[in-house]
Amino acid sequence: MSDTLRPAMRRALGAVSVLALAISGPIALSSLASAEPAPASASIFASGGDLASPEKKEIAMQIVSSAENSSLDWKAQYSYIEDIGDGRGYTAGIIGFCSGTGDMLDLVERYTNSVPDNPLAAYLPALRKVEGSDSHEGLGSGFENAWREAAGRSDFKEAQNGERDRVYFDPAVNQAKSDGLGALGQFIYYDAIVMHGPGTSQDSFGGIRSAAIQKAKPPSQGGDEKAYLKAFLDARRVVMKQEEAHADTSRIDTAQLVWLNDGNLDLHTPLRWKVYGDPYEIN
């Protein structure tokens, strides 16, 4: 277990009930996970920028990694795996796939369907058994070693990339474009869905978006982009503070909100921010 990873999580960890996980974790994917790309007409509302472009997507991966792994080197996280004590079991990989919330199981199942002879295939029964809990039963050091072994293979890296895009990145960006948001808004959606998971419950991405729309209209409905994104961040902050492990909202307050207040709706570089007190910069 590395002492350099996820420092804020360790400072603020507390017990998380399995019931809460079942509600808020990405166990059951919402319709967003299969969302179609936004129609071209939606782009007329956006301030500018497409997070799916190679340059912007690389920036998005680095910013999320600064919060999730205290490093801009997101590609070094394929082999990352540990239990950070947040009630979600193992957290691993480039997006923090969790054994307790189902997205790790989905990843390994899809990977095994494509590559049957892989180091993780033998652990599928155990992953199915621990879903919805923080249990390590049937996993343990053997599973940790198997994860690291698999992460040295290009096919497992590709599998992680694909699952990240299928469940998190593409649905977030497509929904943001449909709402008339530029690159910053697309990133704000993406960072939220990474932490809170897809879904429609109050503490999921869909619930946060619904709460924001009650306060301000998105550009696609004639609203002001900055006002709407401020409402979204306010709604997300409320949800984060309800869970001790996410109570530090600096990834909003000293990063996303700073760019929003600066009017950087295109998420152009240079970018400077802090997460959990640590400074970062992309030029």
Side-chain angles (χ1 to χ4, degrees), residues 40 59 69 79 100 109 116 128 134 153-154 165 168 202 260 266:
I59 289 171
N69 298 97
S79 62
E109 284 182 333
R128 295 185 183 107
D134 62 356
R153 299 168 51 155
S154 60
D165 291 348
Y168 300 105
Q202 184 178 2
L260 180 60
D266 187 34

Side-chain angles (χ1 to χ4, degrees), residues 4-150:
T4 63
L5 296 176
R6 303 172 188 261
M9 291 293 194
R10 290 194 180 81
R11 289 196 293 266
L13 292 179
V16 180
S17 70
V18 172
L19 176 61
L21 289 177
I23 295 174
S24 64
I27 296 174
L29 299 179
S30 74
S31 59
L32 285 174
S34 58
E36 294 295 326
S41 59
S43 64
I44 65 174
F45 302 106
S47 57
D50 183 350
L51 202 68
S53 69
E55 299 82 4
K56 289 283 196 270
K57 188 171 184 178
E58 176 67 20
I59 289 171
M61 298 305 110
Q62 291 179 352
I63 298 171
V64 170
S65 185
S66 73
E68 295 290 311
N69 298 97
S70 300
S71 169
L72 297 182
D73 187 4
W74 67 271
K75 293 180 181 178
Q77 312 309 324
Y78 289 107
S79 62
Y80 164 73
I81 180 168
E82 68 176 318
D83 188 328
I84 61 175
D86 65 350
R88 292 174 170 84
Y90 282 113
T91 297
I94 58 171
I95 208 65
F97 301 102
C98 294
S99 60
T101 61
D103 58 349
M104 180 182 285
L105 172 60
D106 289 343
L107 166 64
V108 177
E109 284 182 333
R110 285 174 171 268
Y111 177 47
T112 301
N113 287 339
S114 299
V115 186
D117 183 18
N118 73 76
L120 296 168
Y123 292 94
L124 277 171
L127 284 171
R128 295 185 183 107
K129 187 173 183 179
V130 303
E131 182 181 356
S133 76
D134 62 356
S135 174
H136 291 189
E137 184 178 354
L139 299 173
S141 61
F143 177 69
E144 296 171 27
N145 292 334
W147 183 279
R148 297 186 186 102
E149 179 184 350

Side-chain angles (χ1 to χ4, degrees), residues 32 35-38 42 49-53 56-57 60-61 165 167-183 185-191 193 205:
L32 285 174
E36 294 295 326
D50 183 350
L51 202 68
S53 69
K56 289 283 196 270
K57 188 171 184 178
M61 298 305 110
D165 291 348
V167 180
Y168 300 105
F169 187 82
D170 291 348
V173 170
N174 290 339
Q175 183 62 67
K177 288 179 179 179
S178 293
D179 287 343
L181 303 176
Q186 294 164 35
F187 174 76
I188 286 173
Y189 273 22
Y190 174 56
D191 190 65
I193 203 171
F205 168 77

